Amino acid sequence: FFFSSRRRHTRSLCDWSSDVCSSDLEVLKPGEKGELVFTVNVGHSTGVIQKGITVPSNDPATPSVALTIRADISQIYSVNPQTIVVGDITQGVITNFTVQIKRTDGQSLGLDHVVSTSPQVRANIEAGASPQEANIKVAVEGEGAPRRINERIQLFAAGAGTPFHEVIVVGRLVGDVSVVPERLVWGVGNYERMPASRLEAMLTRTVRISATKPDMPVEITNPETTLADMKLELSVVESGRVYMVVAKLPEAPKQSTQGTIKLHTNLPSQPVVEVPFNINVFKN
């Protein structure tokens, strides 16, 4: 951008968006012209974007000038899918996916190697139909303790120290027992002015426990909690398959706390299933 000055520009620049960075201007004498150099961080945006820069001045008639930056962004790399959603994967199972990547400007793809953030997520490059294309074969292996899966596959060009793109891998590794939700959370506030019916609902939470393998029945017994005042009620929805545990607080707690609910099973692989909980008390 070039602009002329009637008065001296002496103050530093401020931006409309944190995605726009620009260098400080030199002081301009009346009638002089200056050049504004800026950088716009577009990330993985596509399509038309609009950013802005404000140029302050000591001119009382025009104390600032607003510059608008419009651009139509096309990503060099087309990656499909951007995120691999694994869903629920059981222990010992391997699930396979394919990520297609293509360079859109006609140049060679330049993909040298890929790196996974977890040994349970393996990725290999296979050549595509042209020098601009490749397929990334991804295998997600159900190993380790049940947990959330949140990993990344990083794509590198030759000699580069940082990846030019990342593919997100999300899902959940479940054992022989699935628990929904994985954590119980209470949010309690203004309980002194709350009707009794609403208060009871606010103080009650439910956990669903299900067998994940059709040939392995599950028995849930002896629910216990680290919070002495919490009441637990275990019920059978489908014998050997599905159970429900209702956790109730007898009254509104006076302070925030956290703990664990333990459920005992007949499975050697998961003799105890733990459900953490948080009780958050908000006082106005």
Side-chain angles (χ1 to χ4, degrees):
F1 282 96
F2 292 89
F3 57 92
S4 61
S5 172
R6 290 186 297 168
R7 291 180 180 266
R8 295 165 67 91
H9 289 261
T10 57
R11 292 189 292 170
S12 61
L13 298 178
C14 56
D15 60 0
W16 297 354
S17 168
S18 58
D19 293 332
V20 180
C21 302
S22 56
S23 60
D24 289 347
L25 292 176
E26 297 180 357
V27 176
L28 300 178
K29 297 178 181 179
E32 287 186 336
K33 294 183 178 181
E35 180 180 8
L36 171 60
V37 180
F38 64 89
T39 301
V40 181
N41 180 12
V42 299
H44 296 295
S45 301
T46 57
V48 178
I49 64 168
Q50 181 168 307
K51 305 292 182 179
I53 297 175
T54 301
V55 184
S57 168
N58 64 349
D59 184 354
T62 311
S64 64
V65 176
L67 304 178
T68 300
I69 306 163
R70 288 175 59 87
D72 191 355
I73 305 300
S74 298
Q75 292 292 337
I76 295 178
Y77 297 97
S78 171
V79 181
N80 184 38
Q82 297 274 351
T83 301
I84 297 175
V85 180
V86 179
D88 287 350
I89 178 172
T90 56
Q91 292 171 320
V93 172
I94 298 176
T95 305
N96 297 300
F97 302 88
T98 299
V99 177
Q100 298 175 324
I101 178 170
K102 181 178 181 180
R103 185 150 178 165
T104 61
D105 60 358
Q107 298 187 30
S108 297
L109 182 61
L111 175 60
D112 182 71
H113 65 283
V114 295
V115 175
S116 170
T117 57
S118 169
Q120 278 69 55
V121 179
R122 302 191 301 272
N124 296 290
I125 303 172
E126 290 188 357
S130 70
Q132 292 80 34
E133 303 175 44
N135 294 323
I136 301 174
K137 297 296 184 179
V138 180
V140 182
E141 189 168 359
E143 288 187 353
R147 66 189 186 280
R148 285 284 177 183
I149 299 172
N150 190 356
E151 305 295 342
R152 290 166 291 138
I153 299 171
Q154 301 175 324
L155 283 57
F156 289 84
T162 57
F164 64 80
H165 195 85
E166 290 184 339
V167 177
I168 308 300
V169 182
V170 295
R172 186 176 63 163
L173 175 60
V174 298
D176 297 326
V177 175
S178 172
V179 178
V180 179
E182 297 176 330
R183 176 184 294 272
L184 295 181
V185 178
W186 279 264
V188 183
N190 297 323
Y191 51 82
E192 294 178 352
R193 300 188 297 272
M194 188 173 297
S197 58
R198 286 192 58 195
L199 180 59
E200 182 179 0
M202 177 173 285
L203 299 180
T204 303
R205 295 291 184 271
T206 302
V207 181
R208 182 183 177 92
I209 308 100
S210 306
T212 60
K213 298 179 180 178
D215 59 344
M216 186 175 294
V218 175
E219 295 179 7
I220 303 296
T221 59
N222 302 325
E224 55 182 319
T225 175
T226 56
L227 185 61
D229 293 338
M230 181 183 292
K231 306 299 182 183
L232 301 177
E233 298 177 2
L234 173 65
S235 61
V236 180
V237 178
E238 181 183 347
S239 181
R241 302 296 305 165
V242 183
Y243 298 81
M244 299 289 286
V245 172
V246 177
K248 296 182 179 180
L249 302 176
E251 60 181 4
K254 301 298 187 293
Q255 61 184 9
S256 300
T257 187
Q258 60 185 10
T260 304
I261 296 173
K262 292 185 178 181
L263 309 170
H264 298 268
T265 82
N266 63 323
L267 302 176
S269 60
Q270 285 180 271
V272 176
V273 177
E274 295 189 354
V275 183
F277 64 80
N278 289 82
I279 302 173
N280 302 315
V281 178
F282 307 100
K283 297 180 180 180
N284 296 333

